[in-house]
Amino acid sequence: AQKITQTQPGMFVQEKEAVTLDCTYDTSDQSYGLFWYKQPSSGEMIFLIYQGSYDEQNATEGRYSLNFQKARKSANLVISASQLGDSAMYFCAMRDYNQGGKLIFGQGTELSVKP
Amino acid sequence: DAGITQSPRHKVTETGTPVTLRCHQTENHRYMYWYRQDPGHGLRLIHYSYGVKDTDKGEVSDGYSVSRSKTEDFLLTLESATSSQTSVYFCAISESLAGVSYEQYFGPGTRLTVT
């Protein structure tokens, strides 16, 4: 069965520094997609970045980049130059093509950015 | 932002009463999903739809039913609400499972409390 593991329940980072949020996944599929979502205290789920299993380049979106290491089955999110507004829960997810493309989520990492 | 609305946004109901949550989209996306979010579990799929009148169960479907009579609306019904169904419910939409339209966009969520 597919599984997403986020081992960091909570993290702190100083404003303007970079931070890496860990995500490992388990799947026997060759084709899969990996996502990161941000959930601020207001509750909405905000899509950040996507990485396909066949993508040769690591995905980047502004200050977000995904460090994709296929052999290690890891898809870590890197946030550069942290801002106070980055304080939120962050979820890693994987798409399951066997069930209507549902997303399988990790338990999340709560990031706190210190001024 | 993707056009997804959920109603109601907050609801308190009593054990044993029926409850219907509505998800409405203006994006004409084919796939629609209902997830629930509980502490320690991330988001888990309840039901999903891959077209009008085409639905299937997710991993936590017991006690829930869904209907989709129009592309834009996906209803989640709790036939007889229980306290274990107290949760935050998210609707999500996706255009397709192939090509570049992999992202799932989430609605704002519905906070349901069953007393």
Side-chain angles (χ1 to χ4, degrees):
Chain A
Q2 295 178 315
K3 186 178 179 181
I4 293 285
T5 302
Q6 294 180 255
T7 57
Q8 306 155 312
M11 288 192 68
F12 290 92
V13 65
Q14 205 68 35
E15 191 178 10
K16 300 181 183 178
E17 292 185 349
V19 63
T20 298
L21 307 184
D22 294 342
C23 172
T24 58
Y25 60 91
D26 188 18
T27 181
S28 57
D29 294 340
Q30 295 301 309
S31 179
Y32 50 89
L34 296 159
F35 300 76
W36 278 91
Y37 285 85
K38 172 184 178 182
Q39 187 177 42
S41 59
S42 52
E44 70 267 32
M45 295 289 289
I46 302 169
F47 166 76
L48 294 179
I49 197 166
Y50 165 81
Q51 178 84 41
S53 58
Y54 294 118
D55 294 341
E56 295 184 353
Q57 303 273 353
N58 284 344
T60 60
E61 290 285 350
R63 294 186 298 110
Y64 304 107
S65 61
L66 199 152
N67 184 1
F68 182 47
Q69 298 188 40
K70 197 170 182 177
R72 297 181 60 184
K73 293 189 174 180
S74 73
N76 298 338
L77 177 71
V78 180
I79 305 175
S80 63
S82 298
Q83 303 172 356
L84 296 178
D86 293 335
S87 294
M89 283 290 288
Y90 289 82
F91 291 95
C92 180
M94 178 166 58
R95 192 143 204 174
D96 181 352
Y97 291 97
N98 296 316
Q99 206 167 16
K102 77 170 186 180
L103 291 176
I104 298 168
F105 284 84
Q107 293 188 345
T109 294
E110 185 170 9
L111 177 67
S112 297
V113 180
K114 295 181 175 181
Chain B
D1 292 342
I4 313 170
T5 57
Q6 292 183 230
S7 57
R9 294 292 314 279
H10 302 272
K11 186 170 183 65
V12 179
T13 191
E14 293 184 349
T15 298
T17 60
V19 177
T20 296
L21 308 183
R22 180 184 184 229
C23 177
H24 178 77
Q25 62 147 327
T26 58
E27 305 295 322
N28 200 35
H29 283 1
R30 178 182 175 188
Y31 294 88
M32 298 186 76
Y33 309 83
W34 276 107
Y35 294 88
R36 61 178 288 174
Q37 183 178 24
D38 304 292
H41 289 279
L43 280 79
R44 293 177 293 173
L45 182 71
I46 306 171
H47 282 278
Y48 67 97
S49 170
Y50 47 96
V52 174
K53 298 186 179 180
D54 292 323
T55 65
D56 206 347
K57 296 179 179 180
E59 58 186 301
V60 290
S61 60
D62 288 348
Y64 301 95
S65 63
V66 290
S67 65
R68 191 172 179 194
S69 59
K70 298 185 290 185
T71 299
E72 57 266 34
D73 288 327
F74 192 31
L75 303 181
L76 176 70
T77 297
L78 291 65
E79 301 292 345
S80 178
T82 68
S83 58
S84 64
Q85 293 176 312
T86 292
S87 187
V88 179
Y89 292 84
F90 285 97
C91 174
I93 64 174
S94 181
E95 184 176 358
S96 74
L97 300 184
V100 298
S101 300
Y102 286 123
E103 295 91 339
Q104 278 192 22
Y105 296 97
F106 284 78
T110 294
R111 185 173 295 276
L112 176 68
T113 302
V114 183
T115 61

